[in-house]
Amino acid sequence: MNKALIQDIKQPKRPLAEVLPTREAPLPERPTRVAEAAPATRLNLPRRRGRSLGLIIFLILIIGLPLFYFSSQWFASAQVLVKQKRTVITLNSELVRAVALPAEPTTDLSGKLGFEVMTVSASDSIAVPAAEKKQVSEKASGKIVIVNRYSQRPQKLVASTRFESSPGGKIYRIKDEISVPGYELKDGKLTPGEVTVTVYADKAGADYNGEVKNFVIPGFKTDANKYEKLTARGEGSMAGGFVGERRIVSAEDEAKASAELRDRIEKSLKEEITAALPDGFFTFPDAAFFTSNVRVKDGATTTSESMFEMDGQFSVLTFSERELAQLLAKTHLTGYEEAEIKVSNLPELKFTLLNRNTVNLETSKDIGLSLSGSAQIVWLYDEELLKRSLAGVAKTDYQSIFTKFPSITSAEVTVRPPWLKRFPVDPSKILVRVDQ
């Protein structure tokens, strides 16, 4: 009976294919930890995107703002339009005394203007037709050096003293009285006194032309010691002696040639001295002097022209612009305190040199000037110092900078780009202009 019961509850056996799932049928899904975490992962995604956006904005602020600032500084510029302190001094034939510089230590320069002489020179030549003929008689001339081994005291030679060529025996004379320095004796060594002079042949003619090496003075033959020790030597050749018919330049052609040479040389020297005039100095037409000397370089004999040569010298009195401005301010402006100023319209003033005909540029130490016109006085400032002072300053503080420059009465400032709050840190990017 028990056996039957067991059989009754025993299930019949089933094929394996019925128990295992087929390949086509999907396996039943099982909950996993990953699957359980999936919803939480999807919930965190918006939070990470917010953090990335914040990081990007932070990097832009950290990198972009300094880059923007420095790029703005690179293109930054400023323009400053300033007005300088000005006044006008009216001059009506104002007398000014001028003193040659360097002045003597005892010279009182107060109320006076210093001056210096600037000189330039040049030579030029021109060929002039020798259209006329003339019978001429000319004496040769040349340079000699008179040598004194005779005495330590100077030796005077009177005008027309004769010098005899040795050898040859031809006579040449000096025109004016001269003094020959005495010799020096030092440590047993004698150094003769010497002087160079021009002598002229005693007679006209080409026979007196040519090189002469030695001369004696016939007038000293009675004093053998003096005759042997007070002598002369030639320096170069004697030239110009001629007797006969010569083609000459007419007076009219000579005058034209001289005038042309003078104009050419004077124009050239004026340009040269204008270019050479130092900054801060000035001159004026009445303080200019031109001198010239014309000579015949090659005198015509049988040729059809002569060569005329001119040596020109142009000299001007020069004055300091600064000293003139301060002299006028001291004498005409109340309360002037040695500030740096200038006369901005010097060419418009009329300067007259008093007693011009008696002025000697080599010896005159005190001269008079007359000034007329309206002198415009302008107070100066240091532009580079102003730029350096403004560099990097806030636009709200620049007025305090200008208080340090009393010569500036007002200023207008423009800074670009307009959003910049300060002047460029580079002074070279600050442009200063003067409002006239």
Side-chain angles (χ1 to χ4, degrees), residues 9 14 24 97 103 108 159 185 247 270 299 340-341 349 409:
I9 63 176
R14 291 185 295 171
E24 291 77 5
R97 303 305 304 178
D108 182 11
L185 190 61
R247 299 177 69 90
K270 280 183 178 179
E340 287 298 319
I341 58 175
L349 301 182
T409 58

Side-chain angles (χ1 to χ4, degrees), residues 322-331 336 338-341:
R322 178 177 180 272
E323 290 182 8
L324 174 64
Q326 292 189 337
L327 178 61
L328 295 178
K330 289 176 181 177
T331 54
Y336 172 70
E338 303 289 339
E340 287 298 319
I341 58 175

Side-chain angles (χ1 to χ4, degrees), residues 5 9 46 53 57 70 87 89 201 217 235 262 269 275 287 292 309 350 354 364 371 382 405:
L5 290 173
I9 63 176
L53 182 59
I57 295 174
F70 286 113
T87 191
I89 296 176
I217 302 176
E235 191 172 80
R262 178 186 176 91
L269 292 181
S292 61
E309 189 174 76
K350 182 181 179 181
L354 304 180
S364 295
L371 276 67
D382 188 333
F405 295 83

